[in-house]
Amino acid sequence: MAKILFLTDSAADIPKSLREELGIRVMPFPIAMGERELRDGEDFTPQEFYQALAEEPKIPTHAQLTAYQFQQCYEETWKAGYTDLIYTSINSEGSATYQNAVQARGEFFEDHPEARDAFSIRVIDSHTYTMCYGYPVAEGARMAAAGASVEIAAYIQDWVDHVRVLFVAFDLKFAKKSGRVSAAAAFVGEALGLKPIMTFENGASKVVTKVRGEKNVIPTILELAQKEREPGTPYLIIRAARPDQAELLTESCRQA
């Protein structure tokens, strides 16, 4: 019988209670906040992170997870008697973590050739962020608890290959801090009240459209989602520091 370890990183944003319930292992990213280095998901809450975004002169940055860390994890998992490890990673366009996990897999099997036929390591590039890839990891763990095995990695791969992300930046000052948007462009956008609605394509961010004013954001996102969503498939509402907008979007989705 397969014994599967579900592994992901802290950028998947799987709540701690859900990780513990489903036995999902999460590797925390080191986050630099000013002069402090903290572990994502362990040393601060999301609310504290949003506060740091607002207060710190520079955007907090994350360091990649190293091949050495992954090799250690693979060693521990193999010794613990697991038959399979499925790691679903942060977008490879935004971090070298995926490549490091792949490199560590090769090094592990070089050191342990006896494990090749008895221990499977699957590394999946999510091409996205947050619960957009945390969700299929949690669903995969539920599938395993119900007795599934070989089809789980295929399910996670299919999800990340087809998930469609729509998100909006209500405030451009963080994009300006990070250098992703010039100060001039941010000034013009804020002056006109423009809100970019964005997506990810092949791991890269792309502006789908721009709307003027907050009141037009949710109707536009809802219209795009209704056009593109396959009927009957699940959808997620993920929020950052705007619970008011999340509540409005949730209610709009219910009504639709």
Side-chain angles (χ1 to χ4, degrees):
M1 182 176 176
K3 183 180 180 183
I4 307 171
L5 177 73
F6 291 89
L7 178 68
T8 189
D9 46 64
S10 58
D13 291 331
I14 301 175
K16 185 177 181 181
S17 59
L18 190 57
R19 300 194 313 250
E20 292 174 348
E21 174 192 340
L22 298 174
I24 298 168
R25 178 168 175 178
V26 174
M27 297 176 70
F29 279 110
I31 303 290
M33 288 191 183
E35 300 300 317
R36 300 172 295 160
E37 184 170 294
L38 305 171
R39 293 170 302 167
D40 182 28
E42 295 188 10
D43 295 334
F44 56 88
T45 65
Q47 290 72 26
E48 289 168 338
F49 178 77
Y50 298 134
Q51 185 176 348
L53 275 179
E55 295 176 354
E56 295 284 348
K58 294 183 178 179
I59 288 285
T61 58
H62 88 284
Q64 64 196 25
L65 297 171
T66 67
Y68 175 73
Q69 288 173 288
F70 281 107
Q71 196 164 1
Q72 278 191 313
C73 179
Y74 299 161
E75 292 265 1
E76 292 167 5
T77 306
W78 164 242
K79 289 177 181 176
Y82 285 87
T83 59
D84 298 82
L85 181 151
I86 304 173
Y87 169 55
T88 310
S89 92
I90 187 174
N91 183 4
S92 63
E93 292 292 318
S95 173
T97 295
Y98 167 77
Q99 288 84 355
N100 291 342
V102 172
Q103 176 188 331
R105 178 177 59 187
E107 292 171 350
F108 170 81
F109 285 119
E110 283 181 12
D111 292 343
H112 299 281
E114 74 279 8
R116 289 185 183 275
D117 296 328
F119 182 49
S120 168
I121 300 175
R122 178 74 177 265
V123 182
I124 299 173
D125 182 358
S126 73
H127 297 295
T128 188
Y129 299 96
T130 189
M131 277 293 283
C132 301
Y133 69 99
Y135 174 85
V137 174
E139 288 300 296
R142 289 193 175 103
M143 291 168 66
S149 57
V150 294
E151 64 269 42
I152 294 174
Y155 162 78
I156 296 174
Q157 185 68 63
D158 182 69
W159 171 276
V160 299
D161 285 345
H162 294 95
V163 65
R164 177 64 155 163
V165 181
L166 295 168
F167 67 100
V168 63
F170 282 101
D171 195 323
L172 296 176
K173 67 182 179 183
F174 305 117
K176 181 171 65 176
K177 273 188 183 183
S178 71
R180 289 184 172 89
V181 172
S182 71
F187 174 79
V188 171
E190 288 165 357
L192 296 175
L194 295 177
K195 311 297 179 186
I197 295 177
M198 304 175 72
T199 189
F200 290 105
E201 289 186 0
N202 299 317
S205 60
K206 175 184 176 181
V207 176
V208 179
T209 187
K210 296 176 184 176
V211 298
R212 182 170 292 183
E214 287 193 2
K215 66 179 176 31
N216 293 315
V217 168
I218 289 176
T220 303
I221 285 183
L222 196 60
E223 180 184 359
L224 290 167
Q226 286 176 310
K227 284 180 179 178
E228 299 192 21
R229 173 174 169 256
E230 286 289 332
T233 57
Y235 65 91
L236 312 178
I237 295 171
I238 304 168
R239 75 165 178 89
R242 290 296 303 270
D244 58 327
Q245 291 293 323
E247 289 170 8
L248 285 172
L249 179 56
T250 301
E251 184 55 34
S252 297
C253 287
R254 286 198 186 106
Q255 291 176 12

